[in-house]
Amino acid sequence: MGTSASACELRFRPGQFISINVGTDGDGNPILRSYSIASPPERRGELSLILRLVEGGVGSRFFDGLRSGDAISFTGPMGFFVNELSHAGDIVYVATGTGIAPILPMIEEVLRRNEPGRVLLFWGLRREADLFGQDELAALSARHPRFACHVYLSQPQGFYRLRGRVIGPVLELLPSLREPTFYLCGNGQMIEELKAALIDRGVSRKRQIRSEAFFD
Ligand SMILES: Cc1cc2nc3c(=O)[nH]c(=O)nc-3n(C[C@H](O)[C@H](O)[C@H](O)COP(=O)(O)OP(=O)(O)OC[C@H]3O[C@@H](n4cnc5c(N)ncnc54)[C@H](O)[C@@H]3O)c2cc1C
């Protein structure tokens, strides 16, 4: 689900997040939840978020109760999950679910640069009903020949060409990549599993892998 909010001039880098005040606990302390900014900084005065509402979650209940025009309070932008200032080789973004949020503006940022490598997105979702933003991604690939997007469904309900998790296809591609940098975002388990497999195959954790886990 997407939502957008008016904001004063905020400076941020694609990939950063904000911390939203979603309520108060029994002792009157604020309850905070983090959300990545899904829009590019160039869209001044507006921040877009991509939200998954989870059953019974405090943050999810807060968003569910919001009405158009309601004010929210947040701190940030903050975070270090941002593009390197330059890339000598290929760039591989791997997202699960709403982990796509910070990656969308990060991809837009690198595609504006004059860099030599390929820009590849692997995005894992559960089923057809979870799909969104496919037309925008297709338009981006049509405009930028160095960008390619592969969307996998782990539990498709009908026929879907790319089935299964994203980890296998990323590892299969590894030998053909040139000096790759990996950006992993979303489900913490996917991130840990893929990171371990990449390191096992000689990828440098420090120089070549950046990640942001939304939850364990
Ligand atoms: C840096 C950072 C950026 C984040 N950006 C986003 C974002 O752009 N969009 C977004 O929807 N969430 C994002 N999250 C997760 C978000 O902060 C909350 O955890 C989420 O909204 C659930 O909060 P809750 O209070 O409703 O439920 P909680 O009670 O806090 O969580 C319930 C359970 O839901 C699961 N869960 C949490 N987040 C997700 C999710 N995104 N998808 C599937 N299952 C989840 C976890 O298993 C968690 O234990 C981000 C987290 C971090 C740390």
Side-chain angles (χ1 to χ4, degrees):
M1 183 213 302
T3 188
S4 65
S6 284
C8 54
E9 287 289 303
L10 278 181
R11 284 175 182 275
F12 64 95
R13 287 204 53 200
Q16 290 193 301
F17 66 91
I18 55 174
S19 177
I20 300 185
N21 189 334
V22 297
T24 38
D25 67 16
D27 298 325
N29 299 313
I31 303 174
L32 303 171
R33 291 288 184 271
S34 302
Y35 296 93
S36 296
I37 302 170
S39 47
E42 293 73 29
R43 217 181 295 157
R44 290 172 188 274
E46 184 181 307
L47 290 185
S48 297
L49 305 178
I50 295 173
L51 304 172
R52 180 180 186 95
L53 303 189
V54 295
E55 188 91 30
V58 182
S60 301
R61 250 199 327 270
F62 168 79
F63 281 109
D64 204 26
L66 275 187
R67 293 294 162 257
S68 181
D70 285 353
I72 62 167
S73 86
F74 62 86
T75 53
M78 60 188 119
F80 301 100
F81 183 68
V82 293
N83 282 318
E84 293 292 303
L85 294 178
S86 67
H87 301 87
D90 297 325
I91 310 170
V92 184
Y93 295 96
V94 186
T96 53
T98 52
I100 193 69
I103 283 179
L104 291 174
M106 290 169 79
I107 289 175
E108 284 192 41
E109 182 182 50
V110 291
L111 288 177
R112 272 198 304 272
R113 295 182 188 167
N114 190 15
E115 292 183 336
R118 289 188 288 164
V119 178
L120 305 170
L121 167 64
F122 288 82
W123 184 15
L125 293 158
R126 284 218 183 113
R127 51 187 77 92
E128 288 85 344
D130 298 332
L131 288 167
F132 62 91
Q134 301 302 296
D135 293 346
E136 289 85 345
L137 287 170
L140 209 57
S141 342
R143 273 206 312 278
H144 299 275
R146 71 189 185 105
F147 174 62
C149 164
H150 309 278
V151 182
Y152 282 78
L153 295 185
S154 58
Q155 296 163 31
Q157 307 294 289
F159 171 78
Y160 188 82
R161 197 169 57 87
L162 302 178
R163 309 164 75 92
R165 300 175 71 208
V166 281
I167 294 181
V170 173
L171 294 177
E172 267 172 43
L173 191 77
L174 185 58
S176 70
L177 295 173
R178 206 176 51 85
E179 293 182 56
T181 306
F182 293 88
Y183 295 91
L184 320 179
C185 188
N187 178 331
Q189 263 179 24
M190 175 284 284
I191 292 174
E192 284 318 308
E193 218 176 296
L194 181 52
K195 219 186 248 184
L198 289 171
I199 292 165
D200 223 34
R201 288 162 176 76
V203 175
S204 160
R205 175 199 292 268
K206 208 164 157 213
R207 284 188 302 103
Q208 293 179 278
I209 308 177
R210 305 282 173 266
S211 63
E212 184 96 282
F214 280 6
F215 58 95
D216 292 335

